[in-house]
Amino acid sequence: MKKLIGIVAACLMIASTAFADTTIKVDGSTTVLPIMQKVVEAYMKAHPDVKISVSGGGSGNGIKSLIDGATDIAMASRAMEQKEIDLAKTKNVNPNQIVCAIDAIVPVVNPGNKLAEITTAQLKDLYTGKITSWKDLGGEGPVVVISRDTSSGTYETWEGLVMKKERVFPGALMQASSGAVVQAVSKNKNAIGYVGIGYLDASTKGLKVDGIEATAENAKSKKYPVSRDLYLYTNGAPSGAAKGLVDFLLGAEGQKLVKEAGFVPLN
């Protein structure tokens, strides 16, 4: 009887392990989210035994979830900070960085705005509250500044590359996602925001920065001044079903989906 119970227990343990290996949780950046959604849809179609849940709560939240052991893969639109890496190690989490795509953060205005290009210095003046009227840039009306919230990797990249570590001024309207930025700018003729290149559509107008257009080539070469890599983070090298998903994303089919999502593939 004891032998039978032992066999049953072993079988249950094997079944439990197998189930765990086919369940993946992905959380983090809303910039990487459209890429991951396309990749997950294609991967689950090819691997119906694998169950994957994807949510986009921002890069900071995704990294926190990885550190807390609440997600298998964290999506991030900025690199982990040293303090996050140090905290992870105190919890026996070894962050493994994987570059999955390339992006350009593009300032966007309402299509009714006549502005076609802007400088990084002007963007900084807008986002510190120094410029408050479009008249200063050849337009008309008050400027409505739209920004991502502080948990966003896009916000942190913008702060580093455009703001030069100065904070966005308190009068900016903070949004929880890139989609919310697009919606806010599309509905307000005086608004300016910034989004990843994959979020550009006809509802807003992307601006050249320092005379350089946000093209795939310019983003990849980093000639465009607000270019960046997009990341996945795992606890150590990915394994099991998570490795299968990551390998798929980095492979030819996955990188094709990166391009379909509007972002820049690695190859």
Side-chain angles (χ1 to χ4, degrees):
M1 185 65 176
K2 288 182 179 180
K3 185 176 180 181
L4 178 60
I5 292 172
I7 292 171
V8 172
C11 289
L12 289 172
M13 185 176 295
I14 292 169
S16 175
T17 302
F19 179 77
D21 285 345
T22 57
T23 304
I24 310 169
K25 186 172 182 182
V26 185
D27 188 16
S29 167
T30 63
T31 298
V32 184
L33 184 62
I35 295 173
M36 187 57 72
Q37 286 173 328
K38 281 184 171 290
V39 168
V40 164
E41 182 180 2
Y43 190 78
M44 288 179 66
K45 186 175 181 179
H47 303 82
D49 57 319
V50 179
K51 308 302 177 187
I52 308 170
S53 66
V54 185
S55 57
S59 297
N61 290 329
I63 290 168
K64 183 178 183 300
S65 292
L66 182 72
I67 293 171
D68 293 340
T71 193
D72 300 298
I73 300 173
M75 303 177 288
S77 59
R78 50 94 172 165
M80 281 185 73
E81 299 173 3
Q82 189 58 50
K83 63 182 180 181
E84 293 170 327
I85 295 171
D86 293 341
L87 176 60
K89 289 180 178 178
T90 67
K91 299 188 177 186
N92 295 317
V93 173
N94 181 30
N96 177 58
Q97 184 189 87
I98 302 159
V99 178
C100 64
I102 299 167
D103 186 25
I105 303 178
V106 187
V108 290
V109 294
N110 187 277
N113 193 316
K114 295 179 180 179
L115 196 67
E117 58 182 274
I118 198 165
T119 67
T120 48
Q122 289 169 335
L123 286 169
K124 182 179 179 181
D125 286 347
L126 283 164
Y127 277 83
T128 54
K130 186 176 179 180
I131 294 178
T132 59
S133 173
W134 284 114
K135 187 180 293 186
D136 294 336
L137 299 176
E140 57 183 26
V143 177
V144 177
V145 175
I146 308 293
S147 175
R148 287 298 310 277
D149 58 18
T150 56
S151 68
S152 159
T154 302
Y155 172 92
E156 294 194 35
T157 303
W158 186 261
E159 188 180 55
L161 296 179
V162 173
M163 306 297 291
K164 308 303 181 185
K165 296 301 181 181
E166 285 193 43
R167 303 287 285 182
V168 172
F169 84 115
L173 304 178
M174 312 299 271
Q175 304 294 326
S177 69
S178 297
V181 172
V182 171
Q183 188 173 34
V185 173
S186 68
K187 292 182 177 180
N188 192 322
K189 66 179 182 178
N190 294 320
I192 183 169
Y194 54 87
V195 294
I197 194 171
Y199 280 88
L200 292 178
D201 62 25
S203 70
T204 63
K205 181 170 69 172
L207 304 178
K208 291 182 180 179
V209 178
D210 295 337
I212 301 170
E213 189 175 355
T215 63
E217 182 181 352
N218 289 337
K220 191 177 292 187
S221 68
K222 302 298 190 288
K223 180 180 178 182
Y224 180 75
V226 203
S227 302
R228 60 175 174 176
D229 293 333
L230 299 178
Y231 306 98
L232 302 179
Y233 282 94
T234 55
N235 181 8
S239 60
K243 183 179 187 303
L245 178 63
V246 171
D247 288 349
F248 178 78
L249 172 50
L250 297 179
E253 189 173 348
Q255 289 297 295
K256 182 180 177 182
L257 294 173
V258 167
K259 187 175 181 179
E260 287 182 11
F263 293 89
V264 183
L266 299 175
N267 302 317

